[in-house]
């Protein structure tokens, strides 16, 4: 209903917004309501291929579908563009291998294929270093300013200090 309502949607730390969560869904709705999106992050990947799966599905769903993925294919994406490990455990009953009973589970390990960059990110991503962004900005200086506590807060603070001094001392 709100497609194109906003001109721009700008989200910082977008890697925290794009998970399979209600927060991720809300960010996606805002993206759909905007004509242009600018998603900023200093942590595009955390070392695992699945970390970028939902981001890609929200940013370029047509490309993901063309690659054969559905919204529930996170582990399949990790198998193709990351590193996975399958661990199997078996019990052999009566010494015969034909009577094996076992289970296996698959888990994702750190590692990302460079194909993620060429297939998905190259056309939609700008990689900029902090030095390139700060060029031309004025100098920045932090000046801490102390503020006295009000009497109620100061009294509570003193009580806490006294409590810990008694326990430690």
């Amino acid at each position: 209903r709100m497609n194109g309502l906003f001109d721009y949607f700008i989200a910082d730390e977008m890697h925290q917004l794009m998970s399979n969560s209600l927060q991720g869904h809300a960010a996606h709705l805002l993206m759909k309501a905007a004509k242009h999106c600018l998603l900023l992050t200093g942590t595009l990947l955390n070392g695992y291929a699945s970390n970028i799966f939902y981001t890609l599905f929200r940013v370029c769903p047509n490309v993901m579908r063309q690659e054969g993925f559905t919204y529930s294919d996170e582990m399949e994406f990790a198998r193709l563009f990351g590193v996975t490990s399958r661990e199997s455990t078996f019990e052999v009953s009566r010494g015969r291998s034909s009577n094996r009973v076992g289970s296996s589970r698959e888990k994702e390990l750190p590692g990302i294929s460079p194909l993620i960059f060429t297939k998905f990110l190259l056309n939609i991503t700008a990689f900029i270093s902090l030095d390139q962004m700060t060029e031309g900005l004025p100098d920045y200086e932090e000046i801490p300013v102390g503020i006295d506590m009000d009497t109620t807060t100061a009294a509570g603070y003193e009580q806490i200090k006294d409590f810990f001094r008694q326990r430690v001392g």
Side-chain angles (χ1 to χ4, degrees):
R1 288 191 315 215
M2 296 191 317
N3 288 355
L5 179 66
F6 305 113
D7 289 332
Y8 295 96
F9 172 65
I10 301 172
D12 194 12
E13 302 297 341
M14 69 80 156
H15 63 280
Q16 294 178 350
L17 299 174
M18 295 294 160
S19 64
N20 188 20
S21 64
L22 291 176
Q23 188 178 25
H25 181 67
H28 184 236
L29 291 176
L30 288 169
M31 287 173 59
K32 287 174 52 177
K35 294 174 188 164
H36 306 282
C37 295
L38 181 61
L39 306 175
L40 308 169
T41 184
T43 314
L44 183 60
L45 301 164
N46 70 348
Y48 294 87
S50 64
N51 180 252
I52 197 167
F53 177 77
Y54 293 107
T55 302
L56 290 173
F57 231 104
R58 290 190 168 112
V59 172
C60 51
N62 293 336
V63 174
M64 293 293 281
R65 285 190 196 97
Q66 286 172 355
E67 290 295 320
F69 295 107
T70 64
Y71 194 73
S72 60
D73 288 340
E74 181 182 7
M75 197 60 187
E76 180 63 21
F77 185 84
R79 276 186 218 104
L80 291 172
F81 296 105
V83 179
T84 59
S85 169
R86 181 174 295 275
E87 296 175 359
S88 301
T89 56
F90 293 100
E91 286 183 28
V92 179
S93 59
R94 297 188 196 140
R96 297 179 61 178
S97 61
S98 62
N99 293 335
R100 293 189 303 181
V101 177
S103 64
S104 65
R105 70 181 188 117
E106 188 173 26
K107 70 177 186 175
E108 185 178 14
L109 301 173
I112 298 165
S113 169
L115 289 175
I116 283 182
F117 293 95
T118 56
K119 278 189 179 276
F120 303 105
L121 299 175
L122 203 54
N123 295 335
I124 62 169
T125 309
F127 295 96
I128 302 170
S129 72
L130 193 56
D131 294 342
Q132 292 169 320
M133 291 176 51
T134 58
E135 190 175 302
L137 291 176
D139 291 336
Y140 176 73
E141 182 182 355
E142 287 189 29
I143 303 170
V145 177
I147 300 173
D148 293 330
M149 288 187 252
D150 61 59
T151 54
T152 307
T153 306
Y157 181 78
E158 289 301 322
Q159 283 180 335
I160 292 171
K161 261 183 18 182
D162 291 343
F163 174 80
F164 283 112
R165 279 193 181 133
Q166 291 171 5
R167 298 293 187 266
V168 174

